[in-house]
Amino acid sequence: MSVIEPRTVPAELLDTVRATHRAVWESGDYPAVADQVIPSLGAVLVEACDVGPGDRVLDVGAGSGNASIPAALAGADVVASDLSGELLEAGRRRAEEQGAVLRWEPADAHGLPFDDGAFDVTMSCVGVMFAPFHQLAAAELARVTRPGGTIGNVAWTPDGFIGQMFATLKPYAPPPPPGALPPPLWGAEEHVRALLGDRVTDVRAEVRGLVVDRFDDGTMFRDFFKATYGPTIATYRSLGDDAARAAELDEALAALGDRALRDDGTMVWDYLLVRATRA
């Protein structure tokens, strides 16, 4: 699968994608996913990027602050950016509750409104992976990071649980925009190395597993994601009144969840953790 080059993405298409993705992520309750299912994931990325006091940090696709808030609590000067104003507002509330001070700024990963080399650390925790034009987003991550700075990313792997979930949704989902690439490709080391290319050095990549203990069975997983997770909600909405197709998807998602449950009642969701140095 070829990677679309930045110059081939028309401005009108980017505008449409921004509006569509904003609506998708505001259709559910992503803060519930971040707080109840993956609460530790952002801190893992902050630690891997060695974020510390005084670091200028940009979190791309920050959502409600899963990584931004731990970075701020570590003493960094943090900007949390996301397409969704609703998610940023939820993040502001969470930060206030935890005593974290940071800035929250609307931004699209395809065209970040920051100067070249503005940040010591640019990171994204299962965020930038959803920007459909991967090469454009990767170029932006590198552009805003100073030479010698750190780029860090966490993304669900194609073969892991969330990658399988997206594969399950795909036959039922609306077609992606022209040139778009699947989000879980950001969880494939070879793909990420190709995206960053000679913009970086010292690339370190590791597949890890996140232990999830939120779901008793596949039905519980499916119903939670139908209620909270934007891409799942959008897929069901695209089926309209087709009850038979919706029932098929219900069964497929529940079966996926049941297969993933281990004897101790937990799941393990694989993700790729990448850290690289800006060349």
Side-chain angles (χ1 to χ4, degrees):
M1 183 177 295
S2 61
V3 176
I4 190 167
E5 291 298 323
R7 64 181 179 273
T8 68
V9 185
E12 296 81 2
L13 179 56
L14 283 175
D15 288 342
T16 299
V17 166
R18 289 185 189 107
T20 300
H21 279 228
R22 187 181 297 112
V24 165
W25 291 106
E26 292 182 352
S27 66
D29 185 5
Y30 188 74
V33 178
D35 293 342
Q36 299 179 35
V37 185
I38 61 169
S40 63
L41 202 54
V44 168
L45 180 59
V46 170
E47 181 180 4
C49 292
D50 196 25
V51 172
D55 285 339
R56 299 168 301 164
V57 176
L58 174 65
D59 186 7
V60 179
S64 53
N66 187 264
S68 309
I69 292 173
L73 292 174
D77 177 11
V78 179
V79 176
S81 67
D82 198 277
L83 270 178
S84 168
E86 288 187 10
L87 292 184
L88 293 177
E89 185 56 38
R92 285 190 187 94
R93 293 193 296 268
R94 293 178 70 247
E96 290 176 2
E97 292 168 0
Q98 298 181 46
V101 177
L102 62 157
R103 288 180 289 154
W104 303 85
E105 298 194 16
D108 176 16
H110 298 116
L112 296 169
F114 308 108
D115 292 338
D116 295 358
F119 298 95
D120 301 304
V121 177
T122 303
M123 63 181 186
S124 185
C125 183
V126 294
V128 74
M129 66 180 290
F130 293 101
F133 306 116
H134 294 190
Q135 185 60 67
L136 185 53
E140 285 293 278
L141 293 181
R143 180 185 65 77
V144 301
T145 309
R146 66 165 176 82
T150 297
I151 297 173
N153 191 57
V154 164
W156 304 117
T157 64
D159 296 330
F161 179 77
I162 296 297
Q164 294 177 48
M165 185 193 76
F166 276 102
T168 302
L169 293 174
K170 183 178 179 179
Y172 302 89
L181 295 177
L185 276 181
W186 273 94
E189 179 179 348
E190 181 180 359
H191 182 68
V192 177
R193 285 181 178 273
L195 288 176
L196 295 173
D198 60 6
R199 301 183 183 97
V200 300
T201 62
D202 190 26
V203 178
R204 284 168 276 176
E206 176 187 0
V207 175
R208 297 186 182 182
L210 177 71
V211 177
V212 175
D213 61 2
R214 174 65 172 72
F215 308 111
D216 295 335
D217 56 28
T219 298
M220 186 177 181
F221 152 74
R222 178 200 68 206
D223 291 347
F224 182 83
F225 267 61
K226 283 180 68 174
T228 61
Y229 197 62
T232 310
I233 294 168
T235 300
Y236 274 95
R237 286 181 176 174
S238 74
L239 298 177
D241 296 329
D242 194 336
R245 292 277 285 165
E248 287 178 7
L249 182 53
D250 274 348
E251 184 177 348
L253 288 175
L256 174 67
D258 284 334
R259 289 195 301 272
L261 276 171
R262 304 187 297 181
D263 291 342
D264 64 358
T266 65
M267 300 176 176
V268 176
W269 296 3
D270 287 348
Y271 62 91
L272 181 72
L273 173 64
V274 173
R275 172 178 170 161
T277 300
R278 179 69 167 99

